[in-house]
Amino acid sequence: MGLNETSDNSVMGETGVVQLDPWLSPFKDALRSRYSHAQKWIKTISETEGGLDKFSKGFTKYGLNVLDNGDIVYREWAPNAKQAYLIGDFNGWNREATPMWRNDFGVWEVTLQPKDGHPAIPHNTKVKISMVLPSGERIERIPVWITRVTQDLSVSPVYDGVFWNPPQNERYHFKNKKPAKPASVRIYEAHVGISSPELRITTYKEFTQNVLPRIKNLGYNVIQLMAIMEHAYYASFGYQINSFFAASSRFGTPEELKELIDTAHGMGLTVLLDVVHSHASKNIDDGLNMFDGTDHLYFHEGKKGRHELWDSRLFNYGHHEVLRFLLSNLRYWMDEYQFDGFRFDGVTSMLYTHHGIGTGFSGGYHEYFGPGVDGDGVVYLMVANEMLHQIYPECITVAEDVSGMPALCLALSLGGIGFDYRLAMAIPDMYIKWLKEKEDIEWDMGALAFTLTNRRHGEKTIAYAESHDQALVGDKSLLMWLCDKELYTHMSILSEFTPVIERGLSLHKMIRLITHGLGGEGYLNFEGNEFGHPEWLDFPRAGNDNSYWYARRQFNLPDDDMLRYKFLNSFDAAMQWKEEKYGWLHSEQAYVSLKNEKDKVIVFERAGLLWIFNFHPTESFADYRVGVEQGGTYQIVLDTDETAFGGFGRNVKGTRFFTTPFEWNGRKNFTQVYIPTRSAIVLALESTL
């Protein structure tokens, strides 16, 4: 067990990270300052709020809550307001009928007693808060902590706040136990709305019925759900949040999302939420922006509170009430919907005052400390991770950070920020760059192996060949880069197996396999890319005549036995299930014994397996000698050239490979193999088959 796993807050303190990486010694003071700042917040919260556990349950105090006696209590923090009223269908939208009272901290409150034995606000009816500002202006807003908002585009793009309080017989009750935290994470990144071949928005129920079984059969064990937090603009891909506690109503009801997650748990699948705490929609009528008439309630004031590229608002992570809101938001998704953790979006923007805009990260440690770092953002992430892992020991957190911030995935007790995993964002960029700019014979085996293994020791990384970022309009999927227009003409098994399609299928499999085996301690795939989804992603918008043509996943393609997409789908499933058996993702980093530039061959060992890749575009090699540490008799357990995966079957199944006790490439033994052009094989000892 590593240093990170064995730590607790009583040992090592802020210097533990320096034991892992002595090059951080010059920055001990900065690390100590971060650690002290985080501990100070935790102490303050403990003294003033009764601890992180109680503090992060803000949703039980704020917003609309129904008490056991049927009372509805509504609380809202709006210190700039001089008067406040709750309005809605329940009181005929009478702006004076339901006044609220204010405490010394700017929190407004009202209690509504039941009427005729029923809650005063009927379930699924609209509500708002109406406020009078110091200027005398009256503004109306959707409650910040609302758990349901709906949009009727035929009337207006502006959302309506809805009081969600279904009767007991209409509530979803969780049936299944959560799966244990997986040792290896194989993540299927998915967007509910695009999860059908049809030209429309897919629902939670359809995803539950049609996509969950597909994910399970493919061998993935973690689902990462995108675009769940409510966002006003569908084409934002879910990254412009207007209501942080509301599950997107585009796809169905909160109860249907709960059923999706519970069903996934019943299949043994862990479910992560793609959480957006890096910024918020600038919407005023149905967002947090200008909620109480000021621009600095939840956000920084003025320019500091605006992201110039995303055209959105930036949180003030150093404010007590903002911390309550964000920590409670995490807690709400964990408690109410039973999510198992989070992928934090836009972490780079949170870590730095420049938000990563116009900044290239060279890897120099000075870039990770000093004035460019947003201390409050760093400390919020430290406290958030500490809270989550303290209350939910099985919780998984993943950071989307392009900068390479040291200690991002080390525990707070070591002076780290506390994430479990970081995304290896340089890997997909390399593949796209090479496919655009290099001939296959120019691929650099040393650079490939370096990029796949260039990660921080002791911090876990999730590798991927492509994610949703690479599929967005303006770019295209890897298979589209590889095959281009021939995807439209030669993917039928009845059509000619052209050199373009042969190359495309071969490299698609090889890229995924070497990324899976060498690239990290976790693996991620974006929905549909497992079978080489054609084209790109583009959501309905004015610029494409509001078309859904590219806002869907064509699962009909791998399901059609006459199309070659089925081969890529089958290979991906075989790869995931082999990892389930051999567990290479949670094994030690690979030992790379060969990077041959002339032959375009890479050989490495991991989890007792011998991995051999021939990227040469024209040359096959017979009796190719490769080193291996463990002597014995080996057989092929995975072969990209297998006919079931659209290959030529040039290696005979069941072939036995015997080792010779003679040192080769720094390994104690060698064996000899046949590696056809553009193919890869994975060998295992016969005793493990």
Side-chain angles (χ1 to χ4, degrees):
M1 187 175 283
L3 187 61
N4 198 22
E5 285 81 3
T6 58
S7 64
D8 63 64
N9 281 333
S10 64
V11 295
M12 294 189 190
E14 67 278 8
T15 60
V17 60
V18 180
Q19 292 185 31
L20 274 175
D21 185 356
W23 291 98
L24 285 168
S25 291
F27 307 100
K28 265 187 178 180
D29 288 345
L31 289 163
R32 189 174 288 114
S33 175
R34 288 180 190 179
Y35 178 83
S36 299
H37 192 175
Q39 293 293 2
K40 185 179 177 182
W41 262 119
I42 292 169
K43 185 172 184 245
T44 299
I45 290 166
S46 180
E47 291 172 351
T48 62
E49 301 281 355
L52 281 172
D53 185 10
K54 190 175 178 183
F55 184 61
S56 59
K57 287 183 178 176
F59 52 87
T60 64
K61 178 181 177 182
Y62 290 85
L64 292 145
N65 285 287
V66 183
L67 306 185
D68 292 340
N69 65 359
D71 286 358
I72 296 174
V73 179
Y74 173 48
R75 292 188 186 93
E76 197 75 77
W77 178 53
N80 189 51
K82 293 302 176 187
Q83 299 173 48
Y85 305 85
L86 181 61
I87 60 174
D89 293 334
F90 76 98
N91 65 4
W93 298 93
N94 185 329
R95 287 191 171 106
E96 309 291 333
T98 313
M100 303 175 71
W101 64 271
R102 171 187 165 137
N103 71 10
D104 294 339
F105 301 100
V107 177
W108 294 88
E109 179 177 332
V110 65
T111 300
L112 287 78
Q113 296 178 337
K115 289 185 176 180
D116 303 322
H118 298 286
I121 305 176
H123 165 58
N124 208 21
T125 60
K126 296 175 184 177
V127 292
K128 272 190 174 182
I129 181 173
S130 180
M131 293 173 281
V132 178
L133 304 183
S135 65
E137 178 189 1
R138 183 181 282 266
I139 60 173
E140 284 162 8
R141 301 284 189 260
I142 292 176
V144 167
W145 301 70
I146 197 85
T147 60
R148 174 77 167 164
V149 293
T150 58
Q151 182 186 48
D152 184 350
L153 286 172
S154 66
V155 176
S156 166
V158 177
Y159 273 80
D160 293 309
V162 173
F163 178 60
W164 190 258
N165 181 36
Q168 281 298 323
N169 65 337
E170 294 179 21
R171 292 172 187 254
Y172 186 81
H173 299 281
F174 288 88
K175 307 175 182 68
N176 297 307
K177 185 180 177 183
K178 285 188 169 196
K181 186 175 183 176
S184 295
V185 295
R186 302 183 299 275
I187 301 174
Y188 195 87
E189 183 184 38
H191 182 295
V192 171
I194 66 171
S195 297
S196 159
E198 296 181 38
L199 300 174
R200 60 176 177 81
I201 294 175
T202 311
T203 66
Y204 294 127
K205 275 198 166 294
E206 290 168 331
F207 190 94
T208 302
Q209 292 162 5
N210 303 327
V211 184
L212 287 184
R214 185 181 294 275
I215 296 169
K216 176 65 177 176
N217 291 337
L218 281 166
Y220 291 89
N221 59 2
V222 179
I223 305 172
Q224 181 179 297
L225 286 179
M226 308 173 63
I228 295 298
M229 300 167 75
E230 191 58 274
H231 46 293
Y233 185 40
Y234 189 45
S236 76
F237 218 145
Y239 292 122
Q240 295 271 348
I241 309 301
N242 51 316
S243 288
F244 282 74
F245 289 83
S248 182
S249 57
R250 285 183 182 85
F251 316 132
T253 68
E255 311 312 306
E256 289 163 349
L257 175 57
K258 292 173 186 176
E259 181 184 24
L260 186 164
I261 295 166
D262 192 33
T263 305
H265 286 163
M267 294 178 173
L269 299 170
T270 295
V271 189
L272 306 182
L273 174 69
D274 196 349
V275 71
V276 186
H277 281 182
S278 47
H279 64 132
S281 165
K282 69 174 184 179
N283 286 14
I284 294 174
D285 291 337
D286 55 6
L288 300 186
N289 193 17
M290 305 293 292
F291 180 78
D292 70 346
T294 67
D295 74 340
H296 54 271
L297 185 64
Y298 288 94
F299 311 114
H300 286 294
E301 190 172 9
K303 186 179 178 181
K304 188 178 179 182
R306 288 167 174 79
H307 196 292
E308 57 190 64
L309 283 188
W310 295 343
D311 195 24
S312 54
R313 298 304 314 274
L314 297 170
F315 286 106
N316 179 1
Y317 301 111
H319 195 290
H320 192 95
E321 290 303 323
V322 176
L323 278 189
R324 185 199 308 277
F325 174 77
L326 293 173
L327 292 175
S328 297
N329 187 235
L330 298 172
R331 191 78 192 272
Y332 177 78
W333 292 106
M334 293 291 286
D335 288 357
E336 183 70 15
Y337 287 95
Q338 297 292 301
F339 277 98
D340 301 297
F342 302 95
R343 178 259 198 192
F344 280 72
D345 179 69
V347 166
T348 306
S349 178
M350 303 171 77
L351 294 175
Y352 303 97
T353 53
H354 51 66
H355 310 296
I357 300 171
T359 304
F361 293 94
S362 66
Y365 279 14
H366 65 282
E367 296 169 338
Y368 306 123
F369 304 95
V373 174
D374 185 337
D376 288 334
V378 171
V379 168
Y380 163 64
L381 291 170
M382 294 170 92
V383 175
N385 274 297
E386 182 71 3
M387 181 270 290
L388 286 168
H389 290 103
Q390 199 178 85
I391 298 170
Y392 313 99
E394 298 279 283
C395 175
I396 297 172
T397 58
V398 180
E400 186 216 27
D401 169 45
V402 73
S403 76
M405 168 70 78
L408 187 67
C409 299
L410 291 178
L412 174 64
S413 54
L414 301 174
I417 296 175
F419 285 98
D420 293 290
Y421 296 91
R422 70 196 318 150
L423 293 172
M425 301 181 74
I427 295 174
D429 291 345
M430 173 190 66
Y431 290 134
I432 292 292
K433 183 177 174 64
W434 285 11
L435 289 173
K436 286 180 181 178
E437 300 176 4
K438 289 179 181 281
E439 297 294 326
D440 294 359
I441 197 68
E442 297 174 327
W443 282 30
D444 185 328
M445 297 298 100
L448 177 57
F450 175 79
T451 302
L452 288 168
T453 55
N454 181 28
R455 52 189 186 271
R456 295 187 59 77
H457 176 68
E459 300 189 45
K460 291 188 286 191
T461 296
I462 292 170
Y464 57 104
E466 54 183 332
S467 73
H468 68 270
D469 288 328
Q470 285 70 43
L472 288 172
V473 65
D475 213 324
K476 48 192 178 185
S477 67
L478 278 182
L479 193 67
M480 197 72 191
W481 276 112
L482 288 161
C483 301
D484 203 46
K485 62 185 179 183
E486 288 203 16
L487 282 185
Y488 301 112
T489 57
H490 288 82
M491 284 300 278
S492 166
I493 60 173
L494 301 178
S495 64
E496 179 190 358
F497 194 32
T498 65
V500 168
I501 296 297
E502 179 190 340
R503 169 182 179 263
L505 298 190
S506 299
L507 286 179
H508 193 273
K509 290 176 286 186
M510 292 182 72
I511 285 170
R512 274 165 164 67
L513 183 60
I514 198 166
T515 304
H516 212 308
L518 200 54
E521 291 71 41
Y523 178 79
L524 178 143
N525 169 73
F526 177 64
E527 181 177 20
N529 287 346
E530 68 275 9
F531 63 81
H533 200 287
E535 301 170 328
W536 48 85
L537 267 174
D538 190 14
F539 286 82
R541 55 190 174 84
N544 64 11
D545 295 325
N546 291 308
S547 169
Y548 285 88
W549 186 260
Y550 297 110
R552 59 189 180 129
R553 295 283 90 179
Q554 298 179 58
F555 289 121
N556 54 301
L557 298 178
D559 293 347
D560 189 331
D561 206 42
M562 301 302 289
L563 296 179
R564 293 187 168 110
Y565 293 101
K566 68 178 182 180
F567 298 133
L568 299 179
N569 199 68
S570 296
F571 175 76
D572 198 84
M575 183 170 62
Q576 309 309 329
W577 286 112
K578 281 290 183 286
E579 199 290 324
E580 174 72 15
K581 176 177 171 62
Y582 289 101
W584 60 75
L585 289 173
H586 64 271
S587 298
E588 290 296 313
Q589 265 204 44
Y591 182 92
V592 182
S593 61
L594 181 65
K595 296 167 284 189
N596 189 308
E597 296 299 343
K598 178 176 174 291
D599 297 343
K600 300 300 175 191
V601 171
I602 291 178
V603 180
F604 63 87
E605 293 152 82
R606 191 176 187 189
L609 302 173
L610 178 60
W611 310 64
I612 306 161
F613 291 79
N614 176 12
F615 281 95
H616 203 288
T618 58
E619 296 293 328
S620 298
F621 303 104
D623 296 324
Y624 199 88
R625 186 174 289 192
V626 296
V628 60
E629 190 70 10
Q630 179 66 50
T633 304
Y634 287 79
Q635 285 194 33
I636 296 172
V637 292
L638 197 55
D639 180 2
T640 63
D641 193 47
E642 192 175 317
T643 54
F645 307 143
F648 295 102
R650 288 168 286 193
N651 264 301
V652 179
K653 269 190 173 182
T655 299
R656 306 176 79 200
F657 299 88
F658 303 97
T659 62
T660 300
F662 183 86
E663 187 176 337
W664 193 259
N665 290 336
R667 311 310 277 159
K668 292 178 181 176
N669 302 275
F670 74 79
T671 188
Q672 296 185 168
V673 297
Y674 173 48
I675 40 173
T677 174
R678 286 201 188 109
S679 73
I681 52 175
V682 182
L683 276 59
L685 284 165
E686 281 188 341
S687 59
T688 68
L689 300 180

